[in-house]
Amino acid sequence: MQQITDQPPVWATPVDEVLDRLDTSRDGLTREQAQRRLTEVGPNRLPPPEPTPWWRRVLAQFQDTLIYILLASAAAKAALGDWVDFTVILAVAVINAAIGLIQEGRAEKALAGIRTMLSVQADVRRDGGWERVDAEDLVPGDVVRLRGGDKVPADLRLLVASNLQAEESALTGESVPSAKDADVVAADAGVGDRTDMVFSGTLITQGSARGVVTATGQQTEVGKIQTLVDEVEPLETPLSRQLDAFGKALALLIAVLAVVMVVVGRVVHDFAGADLVSATIGFAVAAVPEGLPALVTIILALGVQQMARERAITRKLPAVETLGSVTTICSDKTGTLTKNEMTVRTVVTRARTYEVTGIGYAPDGEIRDGDTPVTLDGHDDLTALVTVMARCNDAVVRVDEDGRWGLVGVPTDGALRTLALKAGFDAEGWARVDVVPFDSQTKYMATLDHDPEGAAVLLVKGAPDRILDRCARQRSADGTSEALDRWWWEQHIDDLGAQGLRVLAAAVGPAPAGDRVADEDVSEGLEIVGLVGIVDPPRPEAVAAIEKCRRAGITVKMITGDHAGTALAIGREMGLVHGEGIGVLTGAELEAMSTEQLREVVREVDVYARTSPEHKIRIVSALQHHREVVAMTGDGVNDAPALTQADVGVAMGIKGTEATKEAADVVLADDNFATIERAVEEGRRIYDNVRKSVLFLLPTNGAQALVMLIAVLFGMTLPLEPVQVLWINMVTAVTLSLALAYEGAEPGVMDRAPRDPRESVVDLAYGWRIVVVSLLIGGATLLVFTSTYDAGLRLAEARTAAVTMLALGQLAYLFNSRYLDRSSLTPAVLRGNKVVWIASAAMVVSQLAFVYLPFMNTWFGSAPIGLDIWGYTAALAVAVFLLVEAGKAVDRWRGAHGEIRA
């Protein structure tokens, strides 16, 4: 392969010379050549950004309110000459930073796995045939095919182009798409003026083309300027920002209360300076829930991993939070609610109606006129229709290694290709000259072909209303041309649609002069030759998922380009349409409505037919006017604005364009509606786990702070040393707080109404629970300390008993927190999350070490205690558990959180 860098610019060189220079042809490379070149030039990817140095990542962990407090506390202890406490506090600061670093690394690793699932693919010609490969495997000399909505996988010199436009703002700054063709441009043309080139990372907005790869990886234009667009958003989300702000506000409150403690302790109770400093340090350290932001991040990241396993790939982390609040899902029909295994069932011409047997893409079946199988011989009407459907078609159906028939291309075209195979159509001698590719706005495809005799013919297929608008005549029953009887065709279109069939029309027209066909060549004067009715059966799992959404208070709306009758029939079959309501609203009816009129009916309509991508934006906006939280699916390039407008944009991973995927929050790897329902369920589970973690951590920190605050305000002997507060904080952060991140979905999570996205993670009723639990655990700790100290235990033993009470009280409350409102007085609380038991065992072992190991006694001022103290604290911990359950029962009775959260 010659080096193109030593030659004149490829954009200023004729196509054939470029192909020679790259040692390739219009048929592309062989697999062997491609593999050899891949070894030479390397994968077609940009190098990842330089990772943050480890030392900078470590230092970043110390940029936290708590760490500042800890370091200040350590400095104060050093000033007082208390070197043991200084060492312990410093060690805890390091351990906390290490925990944060590990959690951050796990979260990054979870999301890095998602990046690999979002890789771009390309249609490339190898060994004379088209195949789909990862863009990373492209090499210079490969011939690539592009369509509207594709992301350009490498720098390409165009070979042929039809109505091609590319959005290059990421590279050139131009906000308007650039028109492209294969004509040579000047050697000194700037990047934005190289109209015969398309560049890696840009988007094809319309048209189709073929091009030869001229540069890959760092040799591309985008590689030269070292631009790398991240496929997945950073870890920070609105919820984590909200909790971070909450932590800072709490730190300010702590500072105020610390000042109050110092004043009261010194003025009222005449505390010694060293004791007062220790008490204030202990209070400050106890009150800040330092592990909360990191814990929320790891819950979200683990949730993203789980959603990916469920075939829902999350591109933007905030979408995980929003999914749990979705109230309306607007879904495409084809391939999402249905199987996307399209099969022609009916053929209608002016002569007769034919039935087609067989299912799927295998050409097993026949065309019947009544009970009689027919062929193309002697049936000119059928021949004319099958010819259009076979030639105006880019799909390929073929047998794989396992003997199963599969499709390369669009499912609708696959059904038509299979019809041609069943009819015995012979493509020998036919040649395509030019094409107007299917576009979601025009809804038709046209080709200019030469038939076996060499005559030029114009063939058109598409949505029946769009075809009829362009027709002046029709193919009669005797094969001649006659004036169009539009009413007759519309009656048959309605009849087929009422059977739940998708209808396509076929037409022919006069061939344009020359070897190019454009939109204006098919704008009028066509002759319709027939209709086909195609069935796409509903996915059984989608029907079940729709019913599950209904129970969860989520409305499902189907938005389709199909005819109204087809859409309504499918809607009824899927359980979307009930009763005698509006039923279906067409795109034409929607166009005629004002914004106010659409808002009035949008929630009553569950099926929208004959819609365009622009209609989707209006539907979403009208729903959002009613404060609905909308998830919208899309696959075409023009769906991107609607996905951006929606609260959660959902792109199809299989049939979706790259432009749509980039606009989406979530990508469905299997294009299945049931996956959306599972993603919503997962979103609810994740948010529940965040809420459980908040409800667990805040009372445990509150109890520790309360103990220190009460002791100083009432002039008591301090129940806890600052290093002991640090101990319980550290043990909780390392063990118990992580357990709730792994909780499964609560029973009935999809049997409750959606959450209001504006509500706080902690509402008023949950706020009261935090206060009550803080008082219970803190009160029990003070009770243990005072009762044991008054009973004659040494101060170190009484404080050890108090620390043990805090540990066991938090352990008991962990089991309360496994269910938000549901009773934990059930054997089920002991099952379903093995991490709870691992964390519990780790905490108990750690506490035993705290109590009995001599070096721990030295470091933390603890002392061995007897079994009676263990029994005493365990009994109080059980009492805390039962009292919290009593409070939850009262909340359920009062309906404090609206609908019971199962």
Side-chain angles (χ1 to χ4, degrees):
M1 184 182 70
Q2 300 175 38
Q3 294 296 319
I4 65 171
T5 53
D6 297 331
Q7 304 289 338
V10 289
W11 57 87
T13 306
V15 166
D16 290 336
E17 290 184 29
V18 174
L19 293 172
D20 288 342
R21 187 185 304 174
L22 292 167
D23 194 19
T24 186
S25 70
R26 292 177 185 267
D27 277 335
L29 304 171
T30 65
R31 290 189 181 89
E32 183 182 346
Q33 287 175 317
Q35 186 59 48
R36 187 166 60 248
R37 294 187 186 190
L38 185 62
T39 304
E40 293 174 7
V41 302
N44 174 34
R45 60 170 178 250
L46 296 177
E50 285 292 322
T52 305
W54 66 268
W55 57 267
R56 188 171 293 174
R57 291 170 65 93
V58 170
L59 287 179
Q61 301 305 316
F62 289 87
Q63 296 175 3
D64 180 85
T65 306
L66 171 73
I67 302 299
Y68 296 152
I69 294 173
L70 286 180
L71 296 177
S73 302
K77 284 293 186 182
L80 293 172
D82 194 343
W83 297 108
V84 173
D85 279 10
F86 166 79
T87 305
V88 171
I89 293 174
L90 205 59
V92 169
V94 172
I95 291 170
N96 269 297
I99 292 168
L101 193 65
I102 291 168
Q103 288 182 332
E104 180 186 283
R106 293 183 65 190
E108 290 282 6
K109 186 177 180 181
L111 294 180
I114 303 304
R115 289 186 177 92
T116 64
M117 302 177 75
L118 293 169
S119 58
V120 177
Q121 292 195 309
D123 286 329
V124 62
R125 196 162 182 83
R126 298 265 176 87
D127 288 333
W130 291 103
E131 57 185 70
R132 198 153 180 81
V133 301
D134 286 338
E136 288 192 0
D137 294 335
L138 292 180
V139 294
D142 268 328
V143 172
V144 174
R145 180 170 62 186
L146 298 171
R147 297 186 180 91
D150 285 350
K151 187 174 185 178
V152 181
D155 284 3
L156 306 178
R157 171 65 164 90
L158 294 176
L159 304 177
V160 292
S162 176
N163 298 325
L164 191 69
Q165 290 192 3
E167 196 277 300
E168 299 178 332
S169 59
L171 195 62
T172 66
E174 286 284 341
S175 58
V176 178
S178 305
K180 298 286 184 177
D181 56 48
D183 297 335
V184 171
V185 298
D188 60 354
V191 172
D193 296 323
R194 297 172 193 169
T195 55
D196 58 347
M197 298 285 296
V198 287
F199 301 103
S200 178
T202 60
L203 293 169
I204 302 301
T205 57
Q206 73 174 51
S208 62
R210 293 185 189 181
V212 60
V213 175
T214 59
T216 59
Q218 283 188 287
Q219 300 306 312
T220 62
E221 289 297 328
V222 73
K224 291 173 185 175
I225 60 175
Q226 289 295 296
T227 300
L228 182 63
V229 179
D230 287 336
E231 294 289 355
V232 182
E233 295 255 317
L235 293 177
E236 192 175 48
T237 74
L239 179 60
S240 60
R241 287 195 296 268
Q242 175 190 343
L243 292 174
D244 187 48
F246 169 78
K248 290 176 180 176
L250 188 60
L252 181 61
L253 176 63
I254 290 164
V256 172
L257 289 176
V259 171
V260 173
M261 282 178 63
V262 170
V263 172
V264 172
R266 187 65 178 170
V267 175
V268 178
H269 301 296
D270 197 27
F271 269 86
D275 290 342
L276 198 54
V277 169
S278 291
T280 306
I281 290 172
F283 168 76
V285 169
V288 178
E290 73 281 1
L292 193 54
L295 180 59
V296 169
T297 296
I298 198 70
I299 290 174
L300 292 175
L302 290 172
V304 166
Q305 276 187 315
Q306 179 60 34
M307 287 174 66
R309 284 192 285 269
E310 296 283 352
R311 314 294 289 165
I313 303 166
T314 305
R315 293 190 68 253
K316 301 173 184 176
L317 207 55
V320 178
E321 302 167 23
T322 311
L323 275 168
S325 305
V326 166
T327 61
T328 302
I329 301 174
C330 297
S331 176
D332 289 331
K333 175 183 75 71
T334 305
T336 307
L337 293 170
T338 56
K339 286 187 173 183
N340 208 17
E341 295 177 359
M342 293 192 171
T343 305
V344 175
R345 284 283 176 84
T346 307
V347 174
V348 176
T349 68
R350 281 291 286 177
R352 57 185 58 82
T353 297
Y354 300 93
E355 297 301 321
V356 184
T357 63
I359 295 177
Y361 300 122
D364 300 328
E366 54 194 10
I367 302 173
R368 293 175 174 269
D369 179 7
D371 294 330
T372 306
V374 299
T375 64
L376 299 184
D377 294 336
H379 294 84
D380 293 341
D381 59 329
L382 183 61
T383 301
L385 179 136
V386 169
T387 299
V388 174
M389 297 308 191
R391 295 302 305 164
C392 196
N393 196 317
D394 284 330
V396 176
V397 292
R398 60 190 180 193
V399 184
D400 62 19
E401 296 175 353
D402 299 325
R404 291 177 297 190
W405 284 82
L407 169 68
V408 179
V410 179
T412 303
D413 281 0
L416 300 175
R417 180 70 70 194
T418 301
L419 171 68
L421 292 172
K422 291 176 181 177
F425 175 76
D426 185 3
E428 185 73 28
W430 283 86
R432 178 179 292 183
V433 179
D434 197 18
V435 60
V436 176
F438 179 85
D439 185 274
S440 59
Q441 289 183 311
T442 60
K443 296 187 178 178
Y444 67 80
M445 175 183 180
T447 62
L448 179 62
D449 285 60
H450 285 158
D451 66 15
E453 284 74 41
V457 291
L458 178 63
L459 309 174
V460 188
K461 80 167 193 300
D465 56 335
R466 302 296 177 93
I467 298 298
L468 284 173
D469 288 343
R470 289 162 169 76
C471 287
R473 305 188 68 77
Q474 65 189 26
R475 187 67 55 90
S476 68
D478 61 7
T480 61
S481 179
E482 62 184 17
L484 177 69
D485 181 357
R486 184 166 184 140
W487 180 87
W488 188 90
W489 291 104
E490 288 178 342
Q491 285 294 109
H492 282 78
I493 291 168
D494 288 341
D495 290 344
L496 293 173
Q499 301 170 40
L501 300 178
R502 181 179 183 184
V503 186
L504 290 178
V508 297
D515 58 358
R516 290 294 180 92
V517 60
D519 287 320
E520 52 267 24
D521 296 320
V522 295
S523 61
E524 59 183 6
L526 299 183
E527 177 183 314
I528 188 169
V529 297
L531 307 170
V532 294
I534 302 175
V535 66
D536 184 13
R539 293 177 182 264
E541 65 271 26
V543 177
I546 288 171
E547 178 56 33
K548 201 168 182 180
C549 286
R550 195 182 300 278
R551 293 201 311 271
I554 300 170
T555 302
V556 180
K557 298 183 183 297
M558 183 174 78
I559 302 177
T560 177
D562 285 342
H563 192 270
T566 305
L568 190 59
I570 292 290
R572 292 190 187 281
E573 187 174 353
M574 304 208 69
L576 290 172
V577 180
H578 299 279
E580 299 296 324
I582 296 177
V584 62
L585 189 70
T586 66
E589 293 167 337
L590 194 152
E591 286 276 5
M593 288 181 170
S594 66
T595 299
E596 290 72 22
Q597 289 172 325
L598 178 60
R599 287 172 178 174
E600 289 177 9
V601 302
V602 69
R603 290 195 289 183
E604 301 173 28
V605 180
D606 291 322
V607 177
Y608 294 85
R610 309 307 291 158
T611 56
S612 68
E614 290 76 15
H615 295 149
K616 288 185 174 184
I617 301 177
R618 292 193 65 196
I619 294 167
V620 171
S621 298
L623 288 166
Q624 289 173 331
H625 173 76
H626 296 286
R627 294 185 175 177
E628 299 282 342
V629 180
V630 184
M632 167 68 79
T633 71
D635 53 14
V637 61
N638 292 329
D639 286 335
L643 266 60
T644 303
Q645 174 73 33
D647 298 279
V648 181
V650 182
M652 303 296 108
I654 298 173
K655 65 177 180 176
T657 62
E658 292 302 325
T660 313
K661 293 176 190 176
E662 291 202 352
D665 303 294
V666 177
V667 178
L668 302 185
D670 57 2
D671 290 10
N672 192 340
F673 178 83
T675 303
I676 305 177
E677 181 273 322
R678 289 195 297 271
V680 170
E681 183 173 352
E682 184 65 18
R684 291 188 175 192
R685 181 192 74 85
I686 291 167
Y687 196 86
D688 278 355
N689 286 354
V690 169
R691 179 167 267 172
K692 289 173 185 177
S693 298
V694 172
L695 289 179
F696 173 73
L697 279 178
L698 292 185
T700 56
N701 283 99
Q704 297 165 31
L706 186 68
V707 168
M708 303 301 290
L709 182 64
I710 293 296
V712 172
L713 294 182
F714 288 91
M716 298 168 55
T717 303
L718 292 181
L720 302 169
E721 289 279 4
V723 290
Q724 293 172 340
V725 174
L726 286 169
W727 164 257
I728 200 69
N729 249 354
M730 182 179 66
V731 170
T732 301
V734 173
T735 58
L736 300 186
S737 66
L738 295 178
L740 295 174
Y742 296 87
E743 281 294 319
E746 292 194 14
V749 70
M750 290 296 283
D751 291 331
R752 68 190 194 213
R755 172 183 62 85
D756 186 342
R758 295 168 298 171
E759 76 177 18
S760 170
V761 69
V762 177
D763 60 19
L764 184 60
Y766 285 140
W768 274 112
R769 183 183 297 180
I770 290 169
V771 171
V772 169
V773 175
S774 298
L775 290 171
L776 285 174
I777 298 177
T781 302
L782 287 169
L783 175 62
V784 167
F785 173 75
T786 54
S787 61
T788 55
Y789 191 41
D790 291 345
L793 263 66
R794 292 184 299 113
L795 182 58
E797 293 171 337
R799 283 175 170 167
T800 303
V803 173
T804 303
M805 180 65 241
L806 277 173
L808 296 184
Q810 291 178 12
L811 179 58
Y813 182 54
L814 176 68
F815 286 89
N816 293 121
S817 300
R818 289 201 62 194
Y819 297 121
L820 283 169
D821 297 295
R822 195 182 186 87
S823 174
S824 294
L825 291 171
T826 169
V829 81
L830 304 176
R831 302 190 298 266
N833 184 356
K834 65 180 181 181
V835 180
V836 165
W837 290 106
I838 294 171
S840 300
M843 181 168 196
V844 170
V845 170
S846 299
Q847 188 61 22
L848 287 170
F850 174 85
V851 173
Y852 295 113
L853 292 182
F855 75 90
M856 296 289 279
N857 298 155
T858 302
W859 286 0
F860 291 99
S862 58
I865 55 175
L867 287 177
D868 57 333
I869 302 299
W870 281 99
Y872 180 31
T873 53
L876 285 175
V878 172
V880 167
F881 174 82
L882 294 175
L883 287 171
V884 173
E885 286 305 308
K888 287 165 65 175
V890 171
D891 281 349
R892 288 196 298 274
W893 176 73
R894 291 171 51 209
H897 308 291
E899 188 170 338
I900 297 304
R901 288 171 170 78

